[in-house]
Amino acid sequence: MPAQILDGLALSKQLRAELKERVGVLKEKGITPRLEAIVAAQDPASLAYVRMKRKWAEAAGMESGSWEATAETTQEELLAKVHELNANPLVHGVLIQHPLPKHLDENAALMALGSEKDVDGITPQSLGRLVGDLPGFRCATPLGITKILKHYQIPTAGKHAIVIGRSVILGKPMALMLLQMNATVTIAHSKTENLPALCRQADIVVAAVGRAELVKADWIKPGAVVVDAGYNKVEGRTHDVGDVDFEGVSEVASWLTPVPGGVGPMTVASLLANCVEAAELSAI
Ligand code: NAP
């Protein structure tokens, strides 16, 4: 029997409808949640991601804006922008879309961003809060994945989860969140030996690699739950391709996220949920 679909798109629609109601309540108090993005002007993929995030924010009744960093933007201008957004009470969430132009110090911008507005959950302060099990905004993509697992009542306690990938925005925080859900977690990366054999031991596989269809059916334990966070452009394909060989893995796994329609929409919904929460907290 083919794997059941972990339908991130359907779940994101449900969450966005709930967010719209929360935004309505805030508006009655005179507060409109506002998301601002800082994005590289010359990066078409980043611009497209930000356009989509703003479109979904506005569809939920929120306001949004963006500021483009160009090849001429100086570090001082970037930091001045972050400080301006920190100080603006009408702005509730700030997204620093990775990657910024190479000549700019993105980490310095992240460190300057106030954690109460870090709705993408990727500043050192927010990541430190995750490590410390303290309240704070969690990284949008792994947060979206935890929402999928919880919604479909996938058991995690005592289960062996493997996260393939150790990036700061995805793999590492994902591993920590699975640990908080009482999974026993293995983190794999490009230097990991015998990855297929290691993967076959796991009850839950999260692929966060950036290599199209790397994870094959024979890497998967029969009945395992597979989450595909990958988004890869492949020549000749009409849409983006995940890190998992969907057709093959679907024959072995019990549950599987599609690409598109799985993790991507839940990333955006989670970012918006964090921004609405930031606005709610500002009202207290
Ligand atoms: P990244 O920063 O490039 O990290 C990739 C990770 O994969 C690294 O830790 C790397 O190991 C590891 N890796 C690379 N090749 C490997 C291999 N052959 N075997 C095992 N591990 C390998 O990428 P990222 O930002 O985490 O993104 C990962 C994927 O998720 C990309 O496809 C990206 O487009 C997608 N993504 C999706 C969303 C969404 O909303 N759906 C959001 C963010 C990212 P090393 O550390 O050893 O180099």
Side-chain angles (χ1 to χ4, degrees):
M1 195 173 73
Q4 298 187 76
I5 297 297
L6 297 165
D7 191 341
L9 182 60
L11 180 57
S12 81
K13 281 184 183 154
Q14 193 180 313
L15 291 181
R16 285 181 284 142
E18 287 165 21
L19 287 178
K20 202 169 181 174
E21 285 179 22
R22 283 164 61 188
V23 170
V25 172
L26 280 166
K27 281 180 164 175
E28 279 168 20
K29 296 182 191 165
I31 297 166
T32 302
R34 183 172 182 90
L35 176 70
E36 286 284 342
I38 294 178
V39 59
Q42 271 106 12
D43 186 331
S46 292
L47 290 170
Y49 287 139
V50 166
R51 255 196 313 275
M52 203 249 283
K53 288 166 181 174
R54 290 188 58 188
K55 191 173 145 198
W56 283 22
E58 285 167 19
M62 301 164 67
E63 288 178 349
S64 77
S66 66
W67 183 80
E68 293 182 9
T70 67
E72 284 74 46
T73 301
T74 64
Q75 186 65 24
E76 290 67 35
E77 287 167 337
L78 171 65
L79 292 181
K81 186 69 196 174
V82 174
H83 291 307
E84 178 198 315
L85 294 170
N86 278 342
N88 186 342
L90 300 178
V91 173
H92 303 95
V94 178
L95 163 72
I96 298 178
Q97 182 73 43
H98 173 79
L100 290 183
K102 282 201 171 55
H103 70 284
L104 295 171
D105 182 348
E106 196 171 311
N107 281 328
L110 288 169
M111 277 192 270
L113 179 62
S115 52
E116 72 286 356
K117 297 194 181 183
D118 174 26
V119 290
D120 211 16
I122 57 169
T123 64
Q125 301 93 309
S126 298
L127 291 167
R129 285 176 169 271
L130 171 63
V131 174
D133 288 338
L134 296 168
F137 294 120
R138 303 302 190 223
C139 299
T141 304
L143 177 62
I145 293 172
T146 64
K147 287 181 197 279
I148 292 175
L149 296 175
K150 286 175 188 165
H151 176 79
Y152 284 95
Q153 298 180 345
I154 304 295
T156 52
K159 300 296 178 190
H160 180 194
I162 186 167
V163 180
I164 314 175
R166 57 175 167 180
S167 70
V168 173
I169 60 155
L170 215 177
K172 274 185 209 166
M174 182 76 258
L176 287 166
M177 289 184 208
L178 285 163
L179 197 58
Q180 281 177 344
M181 293 163 82
N182 293 318
T184 303
V185 184
T186 298
I187 306 176
H189 46 79
S190 66
K191 308 291 184 293
T192 297
E193 294 181 357
N194 303 322
L195 180 57
L198 203 59
C199 209
R200 260 193 306 277
Q201 295 170 18
D203 305 299
I204 299 167
V205 177
V206 179
V209 193
R211 301 274 181 276
E213 297 178 335
L214 176 81
V215 178
K216 306 291 183 208
D218 63 357
W219 292 31
I220 302 299
K221 177 159 92 174
V225 175
V226 179
V227 176
D228 187 353
Y231 252 88
N232 309 291
K233 297 246 171 282
V234 176
E235 233 181 282
R237 297 282 191 98
T238 49
H239 58 72
D240 289 340
V241 172
D243 290 342
V244 173
D245 170 15
F246 184 88
E247 297 299 328
V249 168
S250 166
E251 296 302 317
V252 189
S254 59
W255 290 93
L256 176 60
T257 56
V259 176
V263 173
M266 284 304 296
T267 296
V268 184
S270 300
L271 173 79
L272 301 186
N274 281 346
C275 194
V276 172
E277 192 182 331
E280 287 166 346
L281 289 170
S282 78
I284 294 173

